[in-house]
């Protein structure tokens, strides 16, 4: 059950982060910070299907993490959740078409190594 929650949490977090990035790219950068403009931007984002999907995925991730914490130690749950960095790097390259340099790949590899050490 513990590993099922880890996979659910990692998958939902990764999906949520990628959807959030895609949704904000569709929305564009916010330049006007007056209250009325912020309200309009929030209303547009609330109708953005990527942002809505992101919120749902992050909620699933949150509740999976809470359940995981009720079953295992924080010293296990938090480092294992770092696997999302690797998954997000892969999806950023192939889904969002971002340029990922060798230094970022090395960082992702170090995360995998660290998570492997902690999960043993």
């Amino acid at each position: 059950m513990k590993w099922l929650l880890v996979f659910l949490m990692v998958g939902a977090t990764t999906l949520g982060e990628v959807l959030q990035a895609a949704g904000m790219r569709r929305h564009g950068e916010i330049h006007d910070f007056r209250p009325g403009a912020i309200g309009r931007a929030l209303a547009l984002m609330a109708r953005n299907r990527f942002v809505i999907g992101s919120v749902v995925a992050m909620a699933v991730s949150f509740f999976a993490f809470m359940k995981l914490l009720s079953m295992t130690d924080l010293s296990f749950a938090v480092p294992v959740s770092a696997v999302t960095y690797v998954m997000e790097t892969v999806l950023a390259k192939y889904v969002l078409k971002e340029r990922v340099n060798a230094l970022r790949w090395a960082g992702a590899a170090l995360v995998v190594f660290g998570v492997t050490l902690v999960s043993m």
Side-chain angles (χ1 to χ4, degrees), residues 22-84:
M24 291 311 296
R25 285 185 183 168
R26 286 183 182 258
H27 179 272
E29 188 175 348
I30 298 172
H31 296 285
D32 191 356
F33 292 98
R34 292 177 294 172
I38 290 175
R40 285 188 295 278
L42 289 173
L44 282 172
M45 284 185 270
R47 292 189 302 265
N48 184 322
R49 62 188 169 128
F50 292 104
V51 173
I52 294 168
S54 172
V55 170
V56 170
M58 295 304 272
V60 169
S61 172
F62 173 78
F63 288 111
F65 185 65
M66 291 295 107
K67 179 64 177 172
L68 183 64
L69 285 177
S70 73
M71 298 172 58
T72 188
D73 296 331
L74 180 68
S75 61
F76 170 81
V78 171
V80 167
S81 71
V83 171
T84 60

